[in-house]
Amino acid sequence: MASQPRAVGELDRLSSLIPAAQALLDDFRHHARQQGWDEQVQRLAARSLRILLARLGADAPHPRGRYLVSAR
């Protein structure tokens, strides 16, 4: 049975993260691991943050960190 090519989706078209955004995502992943989050929860949360960072950037204003979590 031949595998069919995967459809190109929205996640495939996200731009690369700038270093500041990548550092924030790495900090988030580290924080989630340190807190003992379930692996699936970590993966889904990191993916959501990755989408926000690619769309809005790391310097986008966010009210009191409501949407972005930092381990700092």
Side-chain angles (χ1 to χ4, degrees):
M1 178 186 224
S3 65
Q4 294 187 7
R6 182 171 74 83
V8 175
E10 187 69 22
L11 291 176
D12 297 317
R13 292 190 287 268
L14 290 175
S15 59
S16 298
L17 295 180
I18 62 171
Q22 185 62 54
L24 182 61
L25 183 58
D26 292 343
D27 285 349
F28 176 81
R29 287 179 172 145
H30 177 75
H31 175 75
R33 280 192 305 275
Q34 293 296 313
Q35 295 297 310
W37 293 11
D38 178 78
E39 282 191 37
Q40 184 176 6
V41 171
Q42 288 181 44
R43 185 176 51 78
L44 293 172
R47 183 177 70 176
S48 297
L49 180 57
R50 165 75 172 85
I51 292 167
L52 285 171
L53 290 171
R55 294 281 187 184
L56 303 175
D59 296 327
H62 50 282
R64 296 181 177 252
R66 179 181 295 166
Y67 304 107
L68 301 179
V69 176
S70 177
R72 295 181 187 154

